[in-house]
Structure formats: C-alpha cells, structure tokens
Amino acid sequence: MAPLQLDELGAERLTARDKGLPDRAVGLTVDQFLATEPRLSEFWTPIIALDDEAMRGNLDVMARWTAARGLSLMPHGKTTMAPALWQRQLDAGCTGITLATMWQIRVARTFGADSLLLANSVVDERSLHYLAGELADPGFRFVSWADSIRTVERMEQVLREAGTPRPVDVCVELGAPGGRTGARSVEEAIGIGRRIAASDVLRLAGVAGYEGSLGHDRSPAAIDAVRGYLGDQLAVHAAFRDLYDEGDVYVTAGGSAYFDFVADVWADAIAADARTRWTLRSGAYIVHDDGFYRGISPLDRSAADETGGRLRSAMHGFARVVSHPEPGLALIDGGKRDFPFDEGLPEPQQVAVDLGAPAQPLPGAAVAAMNDQHTYLRPGETAVAIGDVVRLGLSHPCTAFDKWHFLPVVESAGSDRVVELVRTFF
C-alpha cells in the first residue's frame, strides 16, 4: 500500500479566511509557518486543538487491541476527513480507509489512496462513471455495499454503459428492523448475495453492516440487539461460502462504540477462517472524546485491558469569556459553529488567563446552552473574568472536525508548541 501523497498540504498558503490562525501566518505556507515554531497562545479564540501525544497513544492502543483479536482495521475517514490523520492510521497498520460518500472517495483518490471501503451504496450515475474510470488502475482496491436487488440492477446498468474494466467488489449490507440501511432479514440478504454472484460487472465480496444504529448505550437491550445482529452477519457469511470466488472476502462491522462485542461474537469464526478479512471500521478512536465515546467505548471503561491500553481524548476546545452579564453566568466566544453539540454539550474543564497560560480546574462548572457563536457557561466554584480562556472537553469528533479548515496540533496536553496543522476536507 503506497503512502498518501501529502506534499501539497505543506505547500498550501494560509490566508485570513482560515479561522483561528494568527495574523502572522497569513501569506505563509503551512510548512513555512510551522518552521517558525508557533505557539497555541498565538491563535485566536475560539479554536479546537489536537494533542499529538494522545493521538499517538490512541493509535498504538487500537493497533494492539485489534491485532490481539485477529481483526483488520479500515477506520472511517469521514470522522476527520483529514488525509494527514488517515496516513497516521495507515502507518499504524490499518489496511485501508473507509468513507461514506463517493465524493469522499474522490477526495481520497486525489491523495493517492489505493485501498478504500465505501460504507454505502453507489447508485448515482455520475459516481458510477467516475468509479469505472478509477478501476482502470490495477492497484486500486475498492469495495462498496448493496442492500437491495434494485441497487444491484442500477449498478449493473450504469457500469455496463460505462464499460467498467473490471467487476466492482460489493458486500451485501445486512440491516435490522428499526436500524438504518441494509437488508431487513438474513433471507433477503442471501438473495441479494446470490444476485450479485451472478452478475457480470459486480463481484460478491462479503457481508457488511453497522451495528451502532441498534443502540445508544450499554443497556442489556442494546447489547442483546447488537450481539444478535452480529450473529446474523455470520449466518449470511456462512450461506455465501459456495458463492465466493478466490478473491478477497470481507466481513465488516464495528463503529466506535461496540467493537468489543464485534470481536467477541466473531471470535470463533475468526479462528476458523483465516481467509476472510474480518474488518472493523471504527474511526473516532484516533482522537476519542470527553463525552459520548468516553462513556460507551470499551477502551475507556477501565484503566487498561490485557493489551495495556486506554484511549484518551486528543481534542479540546478553547473559548474566551466575553461577557459576565449576571452572577453565575458567563458567555464564551465559541458556539455551535465551532464545537460539536449533537451528542452532548461541551464540558468545561479548565480556565486560564490566556491560551497557553497555566490553568486551574473548574469544579462544578457546566455548559447550560449554546448559540451559533456563544456558549452559556455556569462557572461553578471558580470565578472567571472577562478575557479568561476556558478549555472545553468535547463530545463526538465526527461533528467537530467539519467545522474547521485547519486544526493546530500541540505536542501534548501540557505543551503550547504547535507541531502540525491538520487540514480537513468537508
């Protein structure tokens, strides 16, 4: 697998249109700016900063955890849409990148990505013509999903018109009643697989699906639904054994919440079937969070497992107090346009007189509400003054990265030194 082509990211010129960057960065390339050893204290608020040390630790933890269980990892790149972070994941042993739309696939291909999984169906005529062109590259490994006979027929029609140079690998997506996409029964999924196996322009490549839509916590009901679903995936895979050819075969699941159950339910099948690529798609682990995933991830529910690792939050928001209109209420200058809020409001953690300055904790502090560009802070036991900077724990990285063109990366949680600017593509 060739490294991604990232040179152009360092050559990109910074402008005043890039949110949060210091004035002196304007007009410089990314590489030129980083060569000046910038500090986070130079950046404007609001800002989200990533933690290099924590990201490296998270990559190592997940690599060891998956390897110990015979699992491959193709992390969901839509979480960050940051090719530089995808490369970190590939360097840590990931076998490719998962994406959610054909536009995201096109972005990845512009950086030379050659192993991509689309966790979705391709039915748009334009996207299928694009895909047929990309498949002329013999080194490009691509897999998509289908959850209906009509999807298969649509793909066949357009791919024949486009003259695809080779069949498209397709996994049958198994869903569940009340879930998201996917065939609603094992029998329906088997029928779709038989139809794909008979196609001249598609190739049956395995079974796929997403268990995360079946639960939002670790209640017994959610766990039972997830485990039952994963067992159904194995049943579909077993039914396909006589339909598979000699090419790559995948069984894939695993968001960032229930991947321990994936490993457990699949364990016997993994031990008995070394040919199949048993693939997780967890994507949020690289930065983790201080909210939803902190509460539900199996690698943040204990200090360490047998592989000796635990995920840590590697993203934090910083916003400045701009108003103190009444006792017990302060307004800070970041809001819904800057920080995620869909899986829980930000968590006030520390306050300092400025970015990069020594901080003190904020016991009892809470966020009461958010507007587009304001967050309502209840400071709790610690006094905050106009101009102070509050560090926020954030929940749900999938809706954090999309709000930023560049995110500074500091050496560690205790460092002010910026070592990278992560460029996103949303």
Side-chain angles (χ1 to χ4, degrees):
M1 188 161 40
L4 301 183
Q5 300 156 15
L6 302 178
D7 288 351
E8 68 181 79
L9 296 180
E12 188 167 358
R13 200 160 295 279
L14 303 172
T15 78
R17 298 172 183 172
D18 297 320
K19 184 167 66 171
L21 294 182
D23 263 350
R24 71 177 186 84
V26 174
L28 300 178
T29 67
V30 170
D31 284 344
Q32 288 170 342
F33 177 57
L34 293 175
T36 68
E37 299 187 357
R39 299 283 169 171
L40 187 63
S41 54
E42 301 179 64
F43 284 68
W44 293 21
T45 57
I47 195 75
I48 288 180
L50 306 181
D51 179 335
D52 184 66
E53 181 181 64
M55 285 194 292
R56 292 178 187 276
N58 291 344
L59 289 166
D60 179 64
V61 166
M62 196 64 169
R64 287 187 284 114
W65 194 92
T66 52
R69 291 158 178 79
L71 292 162
S72 297
L73 180 58
M74 294 184 75
H76 216 319
K78 58 92 177 170
T79 300
T80 65
M81 281 305 293
L85 297 186
W86 299 346
Q87 186 62 61
R88 289 187 184 221
Q89 293 170 308
L90 295 171
D91 289 344
C94 295
T95 58
I97 298 296
T98 298
L99 293 163
T101 70
M102 283 301 293
W103 168 77
Q104 293 172 359
I105 294 287
R106 187 171 67 180
V107 169
R109 287 294 285 162
T110 68
F111 287 96
D114 58 9
S115 178
L116 297 174
L117 170 64
L118 180 72
N120 213 333
S121 298
V122 193
V123 296
D124 173 56
E125 179 180 354
R126 300 152 193 80
S127 298
L128 285 164
H129 275 272
Y130 166 80
L131 176 60
E134 292 300 294
L135 289 173
D137 176 359
F140 178 35
R141 182 157 59 97
F142 174 84
V143 186
S144 68
W145 297 1
D147 69 353
S148 71
I149 299 295
R150 180 61 188 130
T151 300
V152 173
E153 293 171 345
R154 172 75 173 178
M155 293 183 73
E156 287 180 324
Q157 175 188 347
V158 179
L159 288 169
R160 287 174 185 143
E161 292 171 358
T164 181
R166 54 188 165 102
V168 175
D169 283 0
V170 180
C171 288
V172 175
E173 182 188 2
L174 178 68
R180 198 166 64 183
T181 50
R184 285 324 200 226
S185 70
V186 168
E187 293 72 22
E188 182 184 358
I190 293 171
I192 297 166
R194 289 176 177 148
R195 179 64 178 80
I196 294 170
S199 176
D200 60 327
V201 290
L202 305 178
R203 175 186 166 272
L204 180 62
V207 184
Y210 176 56
E211 77 291 345
S213 64
L214 302 178
H216 207 71
D217 53 30
R218 286 187 168 248
S219 65
I223 292 170
D224 286 348
V226 167
R227 294 180 69 92
Y229 168 79
L230 295 166
D232 286 345
Q233 275 196 318
L234 294 179
V236 175
H237 179 52
F240 286 169
R241 292 198 184 278
D242 293 338
L243 299 177
Y244 291 138
D245 61 19
E246 296 303 311
D248 292 338
V249 172
Y250 299 80
V251 177
T252 175
S256 295
Y258 300 118
F259 53 84
D260 54 332
F261 298 124
V262 176
D264 183 49
V265 173
W266 289 358
D268 289 344
I270 292 171
D273 181 4
R275 181 240 174 136
T276 296
R277 295 173 179 260
W278 302 92
T279 303
L280 293 183
R281 304 188 309 276
S282 314
Y285 74 94
I286 187 171
V287 293
H288 199 46
D289 74 3
D290 281 309
F292 176 68
Y293 289 118
R294 181 181 63 189
I296 202 170
S297 169
L299 291 182
D300 197 346
R301 298 176 63 80
S302 62
D305 67 2
E306 68 273 19
T307 63
R310 180 177 181 272
L311 299 177
R312 294 187 292 149
S313 178
M315 66 171 187
H316 294 95
F318 296 86
R320 194 176 301 275
V321 177
V322 292
S323 176
H324 213 323
E326 62 187 58
L329 175 65
L331 280 298
I332 55 179
D333 65 353
K336 293 180 178 180
R337 304 279 181 165
D338 312 296
F339 306 131
F341 58 92
D342 60 311
E343 291 286 1
L345 298 178
E347 172 187 276
Q349 295 178 332
Q350 298 176 354
V351 64
V353 296
D354 206 348
L355 277 169
Q360 60 178 317
L362 280 171
V367 165
M370 296 176 77
N371 297 150
D372 284 355
Q373 306 292 176
H374 292 89
T375 290
Y376 294 69
L377 173 68
R378 300 294 181 184
E381 302 170 20
T382 305
V384 299
I386 290 176
D388 285 353
V389 172
V390 177
R391 189 184 89 168
L392 301 165
L394 304 176
S395 178
H396 201 205
C398 297
T399 51
F401 281 78
D402 65 315
K403 296 169 172 54
W404 295 88
H405 193 185
F406 288 103
L407 293 98
V409 181
V410 294
E411 283 183 309
S412 66
S415 172
D416 184 45
R417 181 168 171 257
V418 173
V419 295
E420 186 178 355
L421 287 182
V422 166
R423 170 74 151 87
T424 66
F425 292 85
F426 285 96

